[in-house]
């Protein structure tokens, strides 16, 4: 009678299964999870430092891309190793990848918000220097808000100087000055130039408004917080006198001044007067009466324009953008 040895087939199969379980690869789930997390962080670092991404303005899209990156990393690690790991490790790794991707977006949002706040504070340091140019203190660097603000200030100051040169070229600042007319006889020639040039006032105002609108659009693309954006815009409207009320007043008063300039020029061109310094001594009572009728509203308009300019200058001084050394 033959007895069976311990090498029973069933027992051998059990030992072989046990040995296979010991030697089977487990996917190194911890290493895979750590490596995938590092890959997501590096991808976020590259994207937000080397690509132009408006995170605050496209939060939903950025979050979607973050989840997609997490899914791609999980798929890659699963094909390489995690397919050999347990279901629990796969769930842990997937959750870790998604969480880290979302955390990267949150961190970037916080950094962007802090940078925007710092940039908005830097804007307040802009001054109009002695050369009439917007400038920051030495060593201070601004971000996109500061750059946009300085560009707008520069353009607004150019428009302001163009307007001053325009009215000075027409002689508006010297037309009611007898000694100036003696030095520049052309001041009382071609008296129709004021009526011809009046439309230029509206063109210059439209040009400044267009620059202000472009600045608003540019700022809107940078600053998503409506309150901060409006505060910045109000500050610059006050600083450069581009506020709508001031512009309306200046436009109306300047048109009225141009309307008065033509008749005053025509009256003075007759030369029935003699200079007494800057004053006119008329030889005809009729001419004197006509001159008084013209010069009274003229002087009132000059005073009103000076009052608007003084109001603007006071606001600019209060805003801190100009000081005694600034040249506007």
């Amino acid at each position: 009678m033959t007895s069976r040895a311990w090498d029973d087939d069933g027992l051998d199969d059990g030992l072989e299964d046990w040995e296979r379980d010991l030697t089977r690869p487990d996917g190194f789930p911890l290493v895979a999870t750590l490596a995938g997390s590092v890959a997501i962080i590096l991808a976020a670092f590259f994207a937000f430092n080397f690509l132009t991404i408006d995170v605050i303005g496209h939060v939903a899209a950025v979050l979607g891309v973050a989840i997609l990156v997490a899914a791609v990393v999980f798929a890659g690690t699963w094909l390489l190793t995690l397919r050999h790991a347990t279901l629990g490790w796969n769930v842990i790794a997937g959750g870790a990848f998604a969480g880290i991707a979302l955390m990267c977006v949150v961190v970037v949002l916080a950094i962007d918000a802090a940078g925007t706040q710092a940039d908005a504070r830097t804007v307040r340091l802009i001054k109009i220097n002695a050369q009439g140019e917007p400038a920051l203190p030495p060593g201070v660097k601004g971000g996109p808000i500061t750059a946009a603000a300085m560009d707008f200030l520069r353009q607004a100051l150019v428009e302001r100087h163009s307007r001053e040169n325009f009215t000075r070229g027409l002689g508006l600042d010297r037309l009611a000055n007898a000694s100036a007319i003696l030095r520049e006889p052309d001041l009382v020639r071609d008296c129709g130039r004021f009526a011809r040039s009046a439309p230029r006032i509206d063109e210059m105002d439209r040009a400044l408004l267009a620059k202000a609108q472009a600045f608003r659009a540019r700022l809107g693309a940078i600053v998503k917080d409506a309150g901060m954006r409006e505060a910045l815009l109000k500050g610059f409207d006050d600083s450069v006198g581009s506020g709508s009320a001031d512009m309306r007043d200046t436009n109306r008063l300047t048109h009225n001044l141009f309307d008065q300039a033509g008749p005053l020029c025509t009256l003075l061109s007759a030369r029935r007067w003699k200079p007494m310094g800057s004053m006119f001594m008329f030889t005809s009572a009729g001419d004197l009466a006509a001159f008084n009728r013209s010069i009274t509203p003229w002087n009132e308009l000059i005073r009103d324009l000076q009052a608007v300019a003084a109001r603007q200058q006071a606001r600019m001084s209060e805003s801190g953008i100009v000081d005694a050394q600034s040249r506007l």
Side-chain angles (χ1 to χ4, degrees):
M1 185 173 183
T2 305
S3 62
R4 293 183 61 85
W6 283 101
D7 58 347
D8 181 80
D9 290 341
L11 184 58
D12 290 343
D13 290 343
L15 289 172
E16 290 171 3
D17 290 343
W18 177 75
E19 290 173 344
R20 280 196 299 271
D21 286 341
L22 284 177
T23 58
R24 180 175 65 84
D26 67 354
F28 306 101
L30 181 58
V31 175
T33 302
L34 292 175
S37 300
V38 171
I40 292 172
I41 293 172
L42 290 176
F45 178 82
F46 174 82
F48 297 125
N49 282 278
F50 298 101
L51 301 178
T52 303
I53 301 175
D54 180 9
V55 181
I56 297 178
H58 303 89
V59 175
V62 172
L63 286 172
V65 171
I67 294 299
L68 178 61
V69 170
V72 169
V73 170
F74 177 78
T77 54
W78 187 88
L79 287 172
L80 291 172
T81 64
L82 285 177
R83 59 193 175 92
H84 301 297
T86 63
L87 176 61
W89 267 113
N90 277 268
V91 172
I92 292 172
F97 295 161
I100 289 172
L102 294 177
M103 185 59 66
C104 287
V105 175
V106 171
V107 169
V108 170
L109 285 171
I111 292 172
D112 275 6
T116 299
Q117 292 283 352
D119 199 6
R121 287 193 295 271
T122 302
V123 169
R124 300 190 184 100
L125 301 178
I126 300 174
K127 304 288 184 185
I128 308 300
N129 61 23
Q131 291 71 45
E133 285 288 323
L136 287 169
V140 175
K141 291 184 179 179
I145 300 175
T146 304
M150 291 187 72
D151 287 345
F152 173 58
L153 273 174
R154 200 171 288 112
Q155 294 168 353
L157 290 170
V158 167
E159 289 295 329
R160 177 174 180 157
H161 295 153
S162 296
R163 189 186 192 101
E164 292 170 351
N165 292 336
F166 166 66
T167 55
R168 190 178 299 112
L170 291 173
L172 279 174
D173 59 325
R174 308 180 302 284
L175 185 60
N177 187 314
S179 59
I181 293 175
L182 284 182
R183 293 191 304 270
E184 303 175 69
D186 285 346
L187 287 174
V188 289
R189 293 176 184 152
D190 186 20
C191 295
R193 68 184 184 275
F194 301 104
R196 292 195 306 271
S197 301
R200 179 76 179 119
I201 303 167
D202 299 325
E203 291 176 11
M204 290 186 291
D205 284 349
R206 284 193 294 269
L208 180 56
L209 285 173
K211 288 176 172 58
Q213 289 300 321
F215 175 57
R216 283 181 174 272
R218 184 175 174 183
L219 204 59
I222 301 170
V223 183
K224 301 306 176 185
D225 183 86
M228 180 188 295
R229 184 169 62 249
E230 289 306 312
L232 286 167
L233 289 169
K234 183 181 184 304
F236 279 97
D237 284 344
D238 290 345
S239 296
V240 300
S242 60
S244 57
D246 286 343
M247 288 194 69
R248 282 196 302 269
D249 289 346
T250 302
N251 181 281
R252 173 179 55 81
L253 292 170
T254 305
H255 270 293
N256 291 343
L257 195 67
F258 273 54
D259 291 342
Q260 292 289 330
L264 179 60
C265 173
T266 300
L267 173 64
L268 295 175
S269 66
R271 294 289 184 145
R272 292 191 290 267
W273 50 268
K274 295 179 180 179
M276 180 178 286
S278 62
M279 299 177 63
F280 299 90
M281 298 296 294
F282 286 88
T283 58
S284 163
D287 287 344
L288 176 60
F291 176 77
N292 287 334
R293 286 193 298 270
S294 294
I295 202 64
T296 299
W298 176 274
N299 288 335
E300 290 175 355
L301 289 168
I302 294 293
R303 283 194 296 270
D304 290 343
L305 281 167
Q306 289 173 342
V308 174
R311 191 167 68 220
Q312 293 175 346
Q313 187 70 25
R315 280 204 299 266
M316 292 174 77
S317 298
E318 290 170 4
S319 71
I321 201 168
V322 299
D323 54 32
Q325 285 74 44
S326 299
R327 183 178 65 82
L328 294 174

